[in-house]
Each structure stands twice: as C-alpha cells, then as structure tokens.
Amino acid sequence: MAVQKELSPGIVVLSAVVGGISLATGALLTVTSLFGYAAGPWVSPEALSPGLVGAAMAGVAPALFTIGRARVWEDVRSLVLPLVIVLAGLFAVSLLNGGSLQAAEGGPLFLALFSLGWVATLGLLALGAVGCLVAQYRRPAGGAGAAPRHPVAPLPGWSKPPLAVVGSGWLGIGAGLLAFPDFWGALLPWTVNRADAQGLGVWALALGVGVLGALAEDDLTRIRPALRAVPLIALAAAVVLAVHHRSVDWTSGPGASLLALVTGLFTTGASGHWLLSRADRRSAAVHEAGPSTPATPAGSESGAAPEAPLGAGPAARPSPADDDV
C-alpha cells in the first residue's frame, strides 16, 4: 500500500481562512435570502439561488475549521479537493458572467462593492488553493504520522450503491449546469439566469466529487471532515428551500429530483456519522480491553505454558521475546 503524505501547513491555513470567509459571506447571503432579498454578487431573478449558494458556504465552514486536526493528506482530501473546485469554479463563473455582476449592472452601492470584493477575494483564494494543492502533491511521501495503513473502518457494502447514485446525480447535474447553463438552467424548478445556473452547478459538481471521493476512499476515518460538512449543507439548503417553497415547482420531475438529492445528501451524512461513531466506539473498546488482557505465552493455544515431557526437567520459562508476541 502506498505511503501516505504528511498534511502541508498551507492546506491548514487555507482551510481556516476560507472557513472564516465562507461563514461570514454564507450567513449574509442566506439571511438576506430568507428575508426575500437577492443580495448575491450578481443580479438574480429570485432570492432562492443566492440563498442556496450562501447555505452551501455556511454549511461547509465548520468542517473546514477541523482540517488542522488531521496529520496526513489522505484524511482530508475528500473535503479539500471539492473546496478547490468551488473556489476556482466560482471565480471562473464570476469572470464569465462579469456583465451580470452588481457593479456592472449598477446595483446599490453596498452590493456593487460586495461584488467587486467577491471577485477579488475569490481570485486570491483560488490562486492560493491551486498553489497549495500543487505543493501538497509535490510533497514527498512519508514523514511524521504518515505511514502505510489499510482501511481502518471500511464502508459497509450496502452503503456503496446509494453513495454512487447520490454522487453521480450531483456530479451530472453540476456538469450539465456548468457546460450548458441555458439548457439545464431551464430545467430547474425555479427561475434562474445564466450566472445562477453556473454558480449552482459549481456547488453541485463539488458535492458530487466529494461523495464519489468518499466512495473511493472506502474508509470512514478518512472522510471524517467531509462527513461534518455534508449534513450541514443539506440542512441549510433545506431551510432556504422551505422558506422559498412557493417559488419551487415541486410537482415537476426536476422538483422531485431536487427533493430526492437533498434528502439523499442528508441521509449520506447522517448515516456516515452513525457508522463512524460505531467504529469509534468499537475501536475505543478494543483499546480499553487490550491492556487488561493477560499476555499469552507463545506455543500454547490455551494460554498455559507447554508441559515438559515425562522424565525431563522443569518446563523452560518463556523468554522475554515470547512475552512480546
């Protein structure tokens, strides 16, 4: 099995900075959307779309603050790789739809300044994220806390088909909204423009990559940070959708699909937390029972030292090396 890579300090610093910015910006977009205002960086026909973008940003922030607890890259890449996709993707979408920005449309002064700050901040963060990612992959394998290991808590077999369905669904929708926003945007069960469709597509693509990445990791302990983000994103999005339920055509096929995907995302996170908690309890029980279990000398299945043959001297005392087995 390949040797793991030690987590670089750049990834830790990047995640903390992005977490703070995402929490503040996401809360702004979500709260204004809940009150019916479309306060996004670009002009939107409805308040729902910027609210969903803000909900995703606020939902992922708490998980980003925990990345610094990890020691190896493999324990956080299922969250960091989608994060890089979001930063680079939203920056590209903002540039491609520059004519829709609040500053270009002549919106209120606060929103115009917010849109300019959005583009500048995203540009710096996207550049930093790509640089940190390149540096991480150029980092040599090994180092403190980085050693070969097998999956500690593999995913149960029954969980893999649903994970594949949820991940493929988000990935497909995200790719479609990004590549063909006019066609796929018209299929969404509420009104969006081109910038809304592509912005939502970035987040859908990142969610799909994250879920499928967790499936590829096949180890609950390695997707712990991502498991903290997934249910919070789903819950925040559900709140925004519930407040704007009259704007969504729930009776249509896309409306039912949206409900299924959000429910599947929450179920994925909740079931993952439950499975990881069970694995943690089992591991803790094994560690607690280990020191109290008497050492078994080698050469005996029952735990007793082998008897000496008749007529021979007393049985040889097990060597210290045997006690360490």
Side-chain angles (χ1 to χ4, degrees):
M1 189 171 182
V3 177
Q4 302 172 105
K5 293 187 177 184
E6 188 178 2
L7 183 62
S8 70
I11 295 291
V12 177
V13 173
L14 174 73
S15 62
V17 171
V18 176
I21 294 174
S22 294
L23 188 59
T25 306
L28 172 66
L29 294 178
T30 303
V31 171
T32 52
S33 172
L34 295 179
F35 283 96
Y37 299 101
W42 50 75
V43 177
S44 300
E46 292 188 11
L48 176 56
S49 295
L52 289 176
V53 172
M57 295 176 69
V60 76
L64 295 177
F65 293 131
T66 66
I67 286 180
R69 302 176 188 173
R71 293 184 300 171
V72 294
W73 162 244
E74 287 76 8
D75 285 348
V76 300
R77 60 185 174 188
S78 60
L79 179 60
V80 174
L81 291 176
L83 173 65
V84 176
I85 291 175
V86 168
L87 293 175
L90 286 180
F91 179 60
V93 167
S94 300
L95 292 182
L96 291 173
N97 297 279
S100 300
L101 291 175
Q102 296 281 0
E105 290 282 350
L109 178 60
F110 172 78
L111 293 181
L113 294 176
F114 173 73
S115 66
L116 293 176
W118 169 278
V119 175
T121 304
L122 272 179
L124 293 175
L125 292 177
L127 183 62
V130 173
C132 289
L133 191 62
V134 171
Q136 177 66 63
Y137 275 104
R138 294 186 62 182
R139 199 176 182 90
R149 76 170 185 182
H150 294 281
V152 177
L155 296 173
W158 59 263
S159 68
K160 295 180 179 180
L163 274 178
V165 171
V166 173
S168 299
W170 283 107
L171 184 71
I173 290 175
L177 288 172
L178 272 174
F180 307 102
D182 295 329
F183 175 78
W184 285 91
L187 296 179
L188 290 177
W190 69 91
T191 305
V192 297
N193 57 17
R194 184 183 181 86
D196 285 337
Q198 290 188 317
L200 293 171
V202 168
W203 275 103
L205 183 68
L207 288 173
V209 169
V211 173
L212 294 178
L215 184 62
E217 292 289 354
D218 194 19
D219 188 348
L220 288 166
T221 60
R222 285 189 174 182
I223 61 175
R224 191 186 301 269
L227 284 177
R228 294 188 179 100
V230 167
L232 291 179
I233 292 174
L235 281 175
V239 170
V240 174
L241 288 169
V243 170
H244 295 282
H245 68 278
R246 294 185 178 179
S247 300
V248 182
D249 184 7
W250 296 109
T251 60
S252 64
S257 299
L258 174 66
L259 183 61
L261 284 172
V262 174
T263 303
L265 195 65
F266 176 78
T267 304
T268 296
S271 60
H273 269 292
W274 176 69
L275 291 171
L276 183 57
S277 298
R278 280 205 331 171
D280 287 342
R281 288 194 299 268
R282 190 181 303 116
S283 177
V286 169
H287 285 300
E288 289 177 1
S292 61
T293 304
T296 302
S300 172
E301 295 182 358
S302 62
E307 296 181 359
L310 291 175
R317 176 181 176 84
S319 66
D322 292 333
D323 292 336
D324 293 336
V325 175

